[in-house]
Amino acid sequence: MEATAVSLTRTVLDGVLGSAGTAMADEAALLLGVRGEVGFIRSELQMMQSFLRVQSSATRWGAGGGGCRDTVRTCVKQVRDLACDLEDCLLDFTLHASRSRWLRWGPGLAARHRVAGRIQGLKATVVELNQRNERYNVFAAASHHGATPGEEHHGQADDDYPRAQLAPGSERQDIERAGEMDELVKLVNKMGDAWVVSVWGMGGMGKSSLVRMLYNDMALIDGFDGRAWVTVPHPLESTDEVERRLRKQLGVAPDRTVRAWLEENRCLVVVDDVSSHEEWELISRCLPANGPTGSRVVVTTRRDDVARQCAGDVRENVYELKPLEDEEARKLFCQKVYKDAGYKLMDDMMEQANRILERCRGLPLAIATIGGLLANRPKTSREWMDLRKHLGSELESDRDIKRVITSSYDGLPYHLKCCFLYLSIFPENHEIRLTRLLRRWIAEGYITKPRDMSVEELGRRYYNELISRSMIQPSEKARASMAVERCRVHGVVLQIILSQSIEENQLFIMDKHCNEAPQGNIRHLVVTRWKKNEKMASLNLSQVRSLTIFGRCPVSLISSKLHFLRVLDLEDTLELENDDLKHIGELHHLRYLGLRKTNISRLPSSLENLRFLETLDVQDTKVTQLPVGITKLEKLCHLVGGVNFAKDLAGKTRKNKEASKCNGDPFEMLADLVTGCYGYKQVEPSCSCCTCEFSVTAPERIEKLRNLQVLGVVHIARGSKVAKNLGELTSLRRLGVDVDATEEVGKDLCSSISRLVHLERLEVRSRSLEFLKEARKAEEMPPKHLLSLRLCGRLGNLPGWMDRLKDLAKVKLIQTQLKQVDVEVMGKLRNLTLLALWEESFAEKTLCFGEGTFPKLKLLYIEGMENIESIQIKDGALAVLEKLEVKKCVNLDDSKDGLSLVLVLQNLNELVLTSCGDKPKLEKELQKQISGFKKRPKFITGKSIVSRS
């Protein structure tokens, strides 16, 4: 895994070269008298970058002798540490250079000399490193020992017979997998023009093992004239190697091509471990364009996108091999430990086995590896418990499983390696929110700004590629048809990369089991399972780039000692107090500050000193006011606050409304009455529907934050100019507002929204949303390419512009009091995939989904509608619906009319009916309807979960 050090160093160098190459830095270097030193360092780093690019390619395929790799790895680690020191220095240099008084006036004289001296010292260190490398011939050795493309594989024996043992993840796992085998045989036997079947899944899932069973199935191979198995050599530079192996195994005559042979004969060909689109382009050149004689090709790969390419984008011919179900996992475990898949474990042993299997998360190779370890150990619950506690080191020492994981890692392009390793910061089984991860990547400098797209778009592309390559897993809540907003790293993979990150001194995890300071520098510090007042070991925090807390934050940890800190992530931190942030203004290099779901209620005024801050996340905290100087943070891209738009928001607004009535506020009760009849034009409420305690007050002069891409939820008070000035934030992609809507404020807000041409998600909260219907002119309507719309407040009918939003994919509504005609309008939105009707969002007793409506809707949530008595689904409606959730609809009829014609929803995967009171007749009717489904959906009621049959 020497590629780890290479990729990390390359990422650091990208940032260094960017910092050293600005005009501002050049001017500062001239004034400090170190222009020559900075220029030398920049040129030297460019050479390092080229060297590391070569090494990144070489280590991808394990080129070079073992001694050479060790030498290069040591060199690369030294370069990485030096590059980090250089970047730290240049960041300080850039920070001070931005202050003209610091360069020219007396108060900063000592600091100027310190920075200049450090730059000169680092130049000397670069020279010393080069001299050391020349003494040990590091660069020459790397060049001499690097393997030429395909060299290592030319020394392998010919594939006279399928060498499955050479394939990653192909170790025998002693598992039948009869169901998967049957499905794969059906795919191979299926007739048609498409003749390639792709099997994909993460490393260790057993792809090669399953396909080997198919390859050796006598009933299947009797129908073929010949067969061949080719394990793809890496790197694959031409078609010649694949054609040579196919020719030998199939017995192709010298005067014939493999392509012609396969066109004339019925053959079964397995191509194992295709790792890229480019490899398949080469391989496909020696295969027919189709299979007129019935030849079949079975491909295995770890990448979903490659699997689809191989299968000609015929989705039915792409087979995803998924983790083992609990019962299958237990059988494999017992087979490996006891040589008996049906072995009955005692209760105490079963408990430990279940905990071990939980960490394996259905990965066959991990289960087989751990089972093999336990087979030769005392079979006691204590022994198994000890192994579970030290599972990481056990897996690290196992060559087979480590090889599978590292081969997947080494196959990543260099720009993805550092992004992937960064995930080792998060604990096992932790669901990682996409926006949190992307903003941290950006703050760390892992994503460089492209020319033709935003940094966020490129980051999302990186994220999707890691999922496609099976390096990270979508959250279990995610659906295949929807964007994956949360992910996790498989526990076994995490154990491998965690040890690597720690070994490279990039990561130090401090918890109650480890309180010893590491010898090397710490770049990323994680504190977990800590008591707030517990004493910490003395750590050198001067080079820490990111600090992440899971649990409680040690007292006084957040201090000026974290001089180069870029990321401070305190999301979900327990017992966090305002005083813990008193030194926040001294962290001048901070780019990401995450305080989501903490008890923080006030931000220090020194926040205005963080001129590089890009993300400030105070969502679901008690913060309702932002510091006056917030508008000085001109690099701020993401300002996130208020209470998240979800079902708990509906509950909080209801409680707030009930509290107002209990307090007997006559104005509030009058506002309710009159607004319900006439809207905001007659009597204005004193606050919005959600009240400003669920949002943060929008700062005046917010238009100065020209780089904002995400803003919300901000409260716009009466008389404020914020609504009018929002239109100047033309980079906004997401906007959430909580409005005290006078006629003037409402008109200004609509006008501003219409000018936000890049807006993708809009959220508006107000006691009355009537002002949205007043927007009739094109210049007052939301951008037509809006993707997500969230509305909270009394509306009555949808605005007339709603049917213009042809790209709208998600709609969430609370207290909108819509009618059936509005549901029909939404039903015509051709790209709508999610609809949430929450808390009084629909006013009538019967909710009907008519024939042909909602053609692409995947998820439908109906909750808190006490008025609804019947939900009717007509034949032809909701054609592709996957999940239907009905909750807290207590007046729903306890009969087949309560929720009718569910049987027409043939794509349904999950049906939920909970908190609707006792509905035995309705539940029985629904059970009867879904029992006739070809693939029975999961049915969740208030009493039980009925799994798929």
Side-chain angles (χ1 to χ4, degrees), residues 283-297:
I283 294 167
S284 61
R285 292 176 188 174
C286 60
L287 302 175
N290 52 48
T293 61
S295 289
R296 293 289 183 265
V297 175

Side-chain angles (χ1 to χ4, degrees), residues 21-229:
T22 63
M24 179 176 62
D26 285 341
E27 180 188 359
L30 179 63
L31 290 169
L32 288 171
V34 291
R35 187 173 185 177
E37 284 78 1
V38 171
F40 170 82
I41 289 172
R42 188 191 309 159
S43 299
E44 193 68 21
L45 288 177
Q46 288 172 343
M47 290 301 296
M48 290 181 183
Q49 200 173 35
S50 298
F51 164 67
L52 291 167
R53 184 184 297 275
V54 174
Q55 288 305 308
S56 181
S57 300
T59 53
R60 180 177 180 182
W61 308 118
C68 172
R69 287 201 299 269
D70 288 343
T71 306
V72 172
R73 184 173 184 177
T74 301
C75 168
V76 166
K77 289 173 70 175
Q78 291 174 351
V79 172
R80 184 205 64 211
D81 290 336
L82 175 58
C84 287
D85 290 339
L86 286 167
E87 186 175 33
D88 289 344
C89 181
L90 289 174
L91 283 172
D92 243 5
F93 172 54
T94 306
L95 175 68
H96 292 309
S98 64
R99 304 170 181 173
S100 58
R101 289 187 60 191
W102 179 85
L103 289 170
R104 295 180 172 86
W105 302 100
L109 186 61
R112 296 203 304 271
H113 283 301
R114 174 176 56 80
V115 172
R118 192 173 180 201
I119 290 175
Q120 290 168 342
L122 286 170
K123 175 188 175 181
T125 306
V126 171
V127 172
E128 182 183 341
L129 177 63
N130 284 341
Q131 291 173 346
R132 185 185 306 118
N133 290 336
E134 288 176 6
R135 281 200 306 272
Y136 293 101
N137 296 317
V138 174
F139 290 9
S143 174
H144 177 73
H145 287 286
T148 58
E151 178 183 321
E152 293 193 357
H153 292 278
H154 289 165
Q156 293 174 355
D158 292 337
D159 282 347
D160 297 324
Y161 187 76
R163 298 287 301 278
Q165 66 270 19
L166 298 177
S170 65
E171 291 77 7
R172 178 169 175 78
Q173 293 157 1
D174 297 313
I175 181 170
E176 293 183 1
R177 307 195 84 151
E180 290 96 332
M181 179 66 174
D182 290 343
E183 292 176 4
L184 196 55
V185 168
K186 289 178 182 177
L187 279 179
V188 172
N189 285 328
K190 188 174 66 173
M191 298 303 293
D193 291 336
W195 68 306
V196 179
V197 174
S198 299
V199 181
W200 77 280
M202 72 174 291
M205 197 62 74
K207 302 178 294 296
S208 300
S209 296
L210 178 64
V211 174
R212 190 182 333 111
M213 291 167 58
L214 177 90
Y215 187 84
N216 292 324
D217 183 78
M218 297 305 298
L220 177 70
I221 62 179
D222 278 348
F224 290 96
D225 302 322
R227 58 176 180 156
W229 180 298

Side-chain angles (χ1 to χ4, degrees), residues 4-14 52 76 79-80 83:
T4 306
V6 172
S7 59
L8 289 171
T9 311
R10 283 189 49 78
T11 302
V12 172
L13 293 187
D14 287 341
L52 291 167
V76 166
V79 172
R80 184 205 64 211

Side-chain angles (χ1 to χ4, degrees), residues 531-710:
K531 294 181 179 178
K532 189 173 181 67
N533 295 312
E534 190 172 349
K535 186 177 180 180
M536 289 184 65
S538 178
L539 296 176
N540 179 7
L541 303 176
S542 62
Q543 293 179 308
V544 172
R545 301 289 184 88
S546 74
L547 171 60
T548 310
I549 308 292
F550 296 102
R552 292 170 177 80
C553 180
V555 175
S556 302
L557 177 59
I558 304 171
S559 69
S560 58
K561 295 178 181 178
L562 295 162
H563 182 66
F564 290 107
L565 194 70
R566 294 182 176 191
V567 172
L568 178 57
D569 194 342
L570 304 174
E571 184 168 327
D572 290 311
T573 298
L574 303 174
E575 301 175 12
L576 192 67
E577 301 173 0
N578 293 336
D579 194 53
D580 291 324
L581 302 179
K582 61 186 178 183
H583 294 292
I584 202 77
E586 300 173 51
L587 308 179
H588 297 288
H589 297 290
L590 200 65
R591 287 157 167 74
Y592 179 99
L593 177 56
L595 301 170
R596 184 180 294 215
K597 294 183 180 179
T598 64
N599 288 326
I600 294 296
S601 60
R602 177 177 50 82
L603 296 173
S605 59
S606 62
L607 193 75
E608 67 180 49
N609 297 333
L610 307 180
R611 300 303 176 90
F612 291 103
L613 194 66
E614 298 169 349
T615 296
L616 174 60
D617 188 344
V618 291
Q619 189 173 85
D620 292 324
T621 65
K622 299 177 182 178
V623 174
T624 58
Q625 298 286 337
L626 297 171
V628 176
I630 192 77
T631 53
K632 295 180 180 180
L633 308 182
E634 297 181 359
K635 291 186 179 292
L636 200 61
C637 297
H638 313 101
L639 177 53
V640 187
V643 175
N644 189 29
F645 194 102
K647 290 175 280 189
D648 59 346
L649 171 65
K652 289 174 182 177
T653 55
R654 185 173 60 254
K655 289 179 182 178
N656 185 68
K657 185 176 179 180
E658 292 170 352
S660 297
K661 291 180 179 179
C662 291
N663 291 334
D665 186 338
F667 186 85
E668 291 293 332
M669 289 188 285
L670 180 62
D672 265 345
L673 175 63
V674 179
T675 306
C677 299
Y678 302 102
Y680 70 87
K681 291 184 180 179
Q682 301 298 320
V683 177
E684 273 309 310
S686 60
C687 196
S688 66
C689 80
C690 301
T691 78
C692 56
E693 71 177 88
F694 299 145
S695 56
V696 294
T697 301
E700 296 297 330
R701 304 298 304 277
I702 195 172
E703 67 275 8
K704 293 176 67 177
L705 301 176
R706 294 300 181 93
N707 287 312
L708 272 182
Q709 298 178 27
V710 178

Side-chain angles (χ1 to χ4, degrees), residues 369-370 372-374 377 387 390-406 492 495-497 499-500 503:
T369 299
I370 295 169
L373 290 172
L374 292 175
R377 296 189 182 185
L387 179 131
H390 303 97
L391 190 57
S393 58
E394 295 285 0
L395 294 175
E396 175 71 11
S397 63
D398 185 273
R399 287 182 298 176
D400 289 338
I401 196 165
K402 186 175 181 180
R403 177 174 56 82
V404 171
I405 303 303
T406 54
V492 175
Q495 295 299 328
I496 302 296
I497 65 171
S499 63
Q500 190 66 31
E503 179 186 337

